[in-house]
Coordinates of all heavy atoms in Angstrom, one line a residue:
T152 N -8.2 7.1 6.2 CA -7.6 7.9 5.2 C -6.3 7.3 4.7 O -6.0 7.2 3.5 CB -7.4 9.3 5.6 OG1 -8.6 9.9 6.1 CG2 -6.8 10.2 4.5
Q153 N -5.5 6.8 5.6 CA -4.2 6.2 5.3 C -4.4 4.9 4.5 O -3.7 4.6 3.5 CB -3.4 5.9 6.5 CG -1.9 5.6 6.3 CD -1.2 5.4 7.6 OE1 -1.4 4.5 8.3 NE2 -0.3 6.3 7.9
L154 N -5.4 4.1 4.9 CA -5.7 2.9 4.2 C -6.2 3.2 2.8 O -5.8 2.5 1.8 CB -6.8 2.2 5.0 CG -7.5 0.9 4.3 CD1 -6.4 -0.2 4.2 CD2 -8.7 0.4 5.1
F155 N -7.1 4.2 2.6 CA -7.6 4.5 1.3 C -6.5 5.0 0.4 O -6.3 4.6 -0.8 CB -8.7 5.6 1.4 CG -9.1 6.2 0.1 CD1 -10.0 5.5 -0.7 CD2 -8.6 7.4 -0.4 CE1 -10.4 6.0 -2.0 CE2 -8.9 7.9 -1.6 CZ -9.9 7.2 -2.4
S156 N -5.6 5.9 0.9 CA -4.6 6.5 0.1 C -3.6 5.5 -0.4 O -3.1 5.5 -1.6 CB -3.9 7.6 0.8 OG -4.8 8.6 1.2
A157 N -3.1 4.6 0.5 CA -2.1 3.6 0.2 C -2.7 2.7 -0.9 O -2.0 2.4 -1.9 CB -1.7 2.8 1.4
H158 N -3.9 2.2 -0.8 CA -4.5 1.3 -1.8 C -4.8 2.0 -3.1 O -4.8 1.4 -4.2 CB -5.7 0.5 -1.2 CG -5.3 -0.6 -0.3 ND1 -5.1 -1.9 -0.8 CD2 -5.1 -0.6 1.0 CE1 -4.8 -2.6 0.3 NE2 -4.7 -1.9 1.3
F159 N -5.2 3.3 -3.0 CA -5.5 4.0 -4.2 C -4.3 4.2 -5.1 O -4.3 3.8 -6.3 CB -6.1 5.4 -3.8 CG -6.3 6.3 -5.0 CD1 -6.9 5.9 -6.1 CD2 -5.9 7.7 -4.9 CE1 -7.1 6.8 -7.2 CE2 -6.1 8.5 -5.9 CZ -6.7 8.1 -7.1
F160 N -3.2 4.7 -4.5 CA -2.0 4.9 -5.4 C -1.3 3.6 -5.7 O -0.7 3.5 -6.8 CB -1.0 5.9 -4.6 CG -1.6 7.3 -4.5 CD1 -1.9 7.8 -3.3 CD2 -1.7 8.1 -5.6 CE1 -2.4 9.1 -3.1 CE2 -2.2 9.4 -5.5 CZ -2.6 9.9 -4.3
G161 N -1.3 2.6 -4.8 CA -0.7 1.3 -5.0 C -1.5 0.6 -6.1 O -0.8 0.0 -7.0
G162 N -2.8 0.6 -6.1 CA -3.6 0.0 -7.1 C -3.4 0.7 -8.5 O -3.3 0.0 -9.5
T163 N -3.4 2.0 -8.5 CA -3.2 2.8 -9.7 C -1.9 2.4 -10.3 O -1.8 2.3 -11.6 CB -3.3 4.3 -9.4 OG1 -4.6 4.6 -8.9 CG2 -3.1 5.1 -10.7
E164 N -0.8 2.2 -9.5 CA 0.5 1.9 -10.0 C 0.4 0.5 -10.8 O 1.0 0.4 -11.9 CB 1.5 1.8 -8.9 CG 2.9 1.5 -9.3 CD 3.8 1.5 -8.1 OE1 3.4 1.3 -7.0 OE2 5.1 1.6 -8.3
I165 N -0.3 -0.4 -10.3 CA -0.4 -1.7 -10.9 C -1.1 -1.6 -12.3 O -0.7 -2.2 -13.3 CB -1.2 -2.7 -10.0 CG1 -0.3 -3.0 -8.8 CG2 -1.5 -4.0 -10.7 CD1 -1.0 -3.9 -7.7
F166 N -2.2 -0.8 -12.3 CA -3.0 -0.7 -13.5 C -2.1 0.1 -14.6 O -2.2 -0.1 -15.8 CB -4.3 0.0 -13.3 CG -5.2 -0.8 -12.5 CD1 -5.7 -0.4 -11.2 CD2 -5.7 -2.1 -12.9 CE1 -6.5 -1.2 -10.5 CE2 -6.5 -2.8 -12.2 CZ -7.0 -2.4 -10.9
L167 N -1.4 1.1 -14.1 CA -0.5 1.8 -15.1 C 0.6 0.9 -15.7 O 0.9 1.0 -16.9 CB 0.2 3.0 -14.3 CG -0.8 4.2 -14.1 CD1 0.0 5.2 -13.2 CD2 -1.2 4.9 -15.4
L168 N 1.1 0.0 -14.9 CA 2.1 -0.9 -15.4 C 1.5 -1.8 -16.5 O 2.1 -2.2 -17.5 CB 2.7 -1.8 -14.3 CG 3.7 -1.1 -13.3 CD1 4.0 -2.0 -12.2 CD2 4.9 -0.6 -14.1
T169 N 0.2 -2.2 -16.3 CA -0.5 -3.0 -17.3 C -0.7 -2.2 -18.6 O -0.5 -2.7 -19.7 CB -1.9 -3.4 -16.7 OG1 -1.7 -4.1 -15.5 CG2 -2.5 -4.4 -17.7
A170 N -1.0 -0.9 -18.4 CA -1.2 -0.1 -19.6 C 0.2 0.1 -20.3 O 0.2 0.1 -21.6 CB -1.7 1.3 -19.2
M171 N 1.2 0.2 -19.6 CA 2.6 0.3 -20.2 C 3.0 -0.9 -20.9 O 3.6 -0.9 -22.0 CB 3.6 0.7 -19.1 CG 3.4 2.1 -18.5 SD 4.5 2.4 -17.1 CE 6.1 2.7 -18.0
A172 N 2.6 -2.1 -20.4 CA 2.9 -3.4 -21.0 C 2.1 -3.4 -22.4 O 2.7 -3.9 -23.4 CB 2.5 -4.5 -20.1
Y173 N 0.9 -3.0 -22.4 CA 0.1 -3.0 -23.6 C 0.8 -2.0 -24.6 O 0.8 -2.4 -25.8 CB -1.3 -2.5 -23.3 CG -2.2 -2.4 -24.6 CD1 -2.6 -3.5 -25.3 CD2 -2.5 -1.1 -25.0 CE1 -3.4 -3.3 -26.4 CE2 -3.3 -0.9 -26.2 CZ -3.7 -2.0 -26.9 OH -4.5 -1.9 -28.0
D174 N 1.3 -0.9 -24.2 CA 1.9 0.0 -25.1 C 3.2 -0.6 -25.7 O 3.4 -0.5 -26.9 CB 2.3 1.3 -24.3 CG 3.3 2.2 -25.1 OD1 2.8 2.8 -26.1 OD2 4.4 2.3 -24.7
R175 N 4.0 -1.3 -24.9 CA 5.2 -2.0 -25.4 C 4.8 -3.1 -26.4 O 5.5 -3.4 -27.4 CB 6.0 -2.6 -24.3 CG 6.7 -1.5 -23.4 CD 7.7 -0.7 -24.2 NE 7.0 0.4 -24.9 CZ 7.5 1.1 -25.9 NH1 8.6 0.7 -26.5 NH2 6.9 2.1 -26.4
Y176 N 3.7 -3.8 -26.1 CA 3.2 -4.9 -27.0 C 2.9 -4.3 -28.3 O 3.3 -4.9 -29.4 CB 2.0 -5.6 -26.4 CG 1.3 -6.5 -27.3 CD1 1.8 -7.7 -27.7 CD2 0.1 -6.0 -27.9 CE1 1.1 -8.6 -28.6 CE2 -0.6 -6.8 -28.8 CZ -0.1 -8.1 -29.2 OH -0.7 -8.9 -30.1
V177 N 2.1 -3.2 -28.4 CA 1.8 -2.6 -29.7 C 3.0 -2.1 -30.4 O 3.1 -2.3 -31.6 CB 0.7 -1.5 -29.5 CG1 0.4 -0.8 -30.8 CG2 -0.5 -2.1 -28.8
A178 N 3.9 -1.5 -29.7 CA 5.1 -0.9 -30.3 C 6.0 -1.9 -30.9 O 6.6 -1.7 -32.0 CB 5.9 -0.1 -29.2
I179 N 6.1 -3.1 -30.3 CA 7.0 -4.1 -30.8 C 6.4 -5.1 -31.8 O 6.9 -5.5 -32.8 CB 7.7 -4.9 -29.6 CG1 8.5 -3.9 -28.8 CG2 8.5 -6.1 -30.1 CD1 9.1 -4.5 -27.5
C180 N 5.1 -5.5 -31.4 CA 4.5 -6.5 -32.2 C 3.7 -5.9 -33.4 O 3.5 -6.6 -34.4 CB 3.5 -7.3 -31.4 SG 4.4 -8.2 -30.0
R181 N 3.3 -4.7 -33.3 CA 2.5 -4.0 -34.4 C 3.1 -2.6 -34.7 O 2.4 -1.6 -34.5 CB 1.0 -4.0 -34.1 CG 0.4 -5.3 -33.8 CD -1.1 -5.2 -33.6 NE -1.7 -4.8 -34.8 CZ -3.1 -4.6 -34.9 NH1 -3.8 -4.7 -33.8 NH2 -3.6 -4.2 -36.0
P182 N 4.3 -2.5 -35.1 CA 5.0 -1.2 -35.2 C 4.4 -0.3 -36.3 O 4.4 0.9 -36.1 CB 6.4 -1.6 -35.5 CG 6.4 -3.0 -36.1 CD 5.2 -3.7 -35.4
L183 N 3.9 -0.9 -37.4 CA 3.3 -0.1 -38.4 C 2.0 0.6 -38.0 O 1.6 1.6 -38.6 CB 3.1 -1.0 -39.7 CG 4.3 -1.6 -40.3 CD1 4.0 -2.5 -41.5 CD2 5.4 -0.5 -40.7
H184 N 1.3 0.0 -37.1 CA 0.0 0.5 -36.6 C 0.1 1.2 -35.3 O -0.9 1.6 -34.7 CB -1.1 -0.6 -36.6 CG -1.3 -1.3 -37.8 ND1 -0.5 -2.4 -38.2 CD2 -2.1 -1.1 -38.9 CE1 -0.9 -2.8 -39.4 NE2 -1.9 -2.1 -39.8
Y185 N 1.3 1.4 -34.8 CA 1.5 1.9 -33.4 C 1.0 3.3 -33.3 O 0.2 3.6 -32.3 CB 3.0 1.9 -33.1 CG 3.3 2.4 -31.7 CD1 2.9 1.7 -30.6 CD2 4.0 3.7 -31.6 CE1 3.2 2.3 -29.3 CE2 4.2 4.2 -30.3 CZ 3.9 3.5 -29.2 OH 4.1 4.0 -27.9
A186 N 1.3 4.2 -34.2 CA 0.8 5.6 -34.1 C -0.7 5.7 -34.2 O -1.3 6.5 -33.5 CB 1.5 6.4 -35.2
T187 N -1.3 4.8 -34.9 CA -2.8 4.8 -35.0 C -3.4 4.3 -33.8 O -4.4 4.8 -33.3 CB -3.2 4.0 -36.3 OG1 -2.6 4.5 -37.4 CG2 -4.7 4.1 -36.4
I188 N -2.9 3.1 -33.3 CA -3.5 2.5 -32.1 C -3.3 3.3 -30.9 O -4.2 3.5 -30.1 CB -3.0 1.1 -32.0 CG1 -3.3 0.2 -33.2 CG2 -3.5 0.4 -30.7 CD1 -2.7 -1.2 -33.2
M189 N -2.1 3.7 -30.6 CA -1.7 4.5 -29.4 C -1.7 6.0 -29.6 O -0.8 6.7 -29.4 CB -0.4 4.0 -28.9 CG -0.3 2.5 -28.5 SD -1.5 2.1 -27.3 CE -0.9 3.0 -25.9
G190 N -2.9 6.5 -30.1 CA -3.0 7.9 -30.2 C -3.2 8.6 -28.9 O -3.2 8.0 -27.8
R191 N -3.2 9.9 -28.9 CA -3.3 10.7 -27.7 C -4.6 10.4 -26.9 O -4.5 10.3 -25.7 CB -3.2 12.2 -28.0 CG -3.3 13.1 -26.8 CD -3.0 14.5 -27.1 NE -1.6 14.7 -27.6 CZ -1.1 15.9 -27.9 NH1 -1.8 17.0 -27.8 NH2 0.1 16.0 -28.4
R192 N -5.7 10.2 -27.6 CA -6.9 10.0 -27.0 C -6.9 8.6 -26.3 O -7.4 8.4 -25.2 CB -8.1 10.1 -28.0 CG -9.5 9.9 -27.4 CD -10.5 10.1 -28.4 NE -11.9 9.9 -27.9 CZ -12.5 8.8 -27.8 NH1 -11.9 7.7 -28.3 NH2 -13.7 8.7 -27.3
K193 N -6.3 7.6 -27.0 CA -6.3 6.2 -26.4 C -5.4 6.2 -25.2 O -5.7 5.6 -24.2 CB -5.7 5.3 -27.5 CG -5.6 3.8 -27.1 CD -7.0 3.2 -27.1 CE -6.9 1.7 -27.0 NZ -6.4 1.1 -28.2
C194 N -4.3 6.9 -25.2 CA -3.4 7.0 -24.1 C -4.1 7.7 -22.9 O -4.0 7.2 -21.7 CB -2.1 7.7 -24.4 SG -1.1 6.9 -25.6
G195 N -4.8 8.7 -23.2 CA -5.5 9.4 -22.1 C -6.6 8.5 -21.5 O -6.8 8.5 -20.2
L196 N -7.3 7.7 -22.3 CA -8.3 6.8 -21.8 C -7.7 5.7 -20.9 O -8.2 5.4 -19.9 CB -9.1 6.2 -22.9 CG -10.1 7.1 -23.7 CD1 -10.7 6.4 -24.9 CD2 -11.2 7.6 -22.7
L197 N -6.6 5.2 -21.4 CA -5.9 4.1 -20.6 C -5.4 4.7 -19.2 O -5.6 4.0 -18.2 CB -4.7 3.6 -21.4 CG -5.1 2.7 -22.6 CD1 -3.9 2.3 -23.3 CD2 -5.8 1.4 -22.1
A198 N -4.8 5.9 -19.3 CA -4.3 6.5 -18.0 C -5.5 6.8 -17.1 O -5.4 6.5 -15.9 CB -3.5 7.7 -18.3
G199 N -6.6 7.4 -17.6 CA -7.7 7.7 -16.8 C -8.4 6.5 -16.3 O -8.8 6.4 -15.1

Side-chain angles (χ1 to χ4, degrees):
T152 302
Q153 195 176 67
L154 173 67
F155 171 81
S156 302
H158 281 270
F159 174 45
F160 293 111
T163 302
E164 183 179 21
I165 292 176
F166 294 118
L167 285 171
L168 287 174
T169 307
M171 294 175 71
Y173 175 73
D174 170 71
R175 289 299 85 202
Y176 166 78
V177 176
I179 295 174
C180 299
R181 303 186 63 183
L183 298 179
H184 302 88
Y185 179 70
T187 303
I188 297 175
M189 298 301 296
R191 179 172 298 182
R192 183 173 179 274
K193 182 74 167 288
C194 293
L196 288 174
L197 287 174

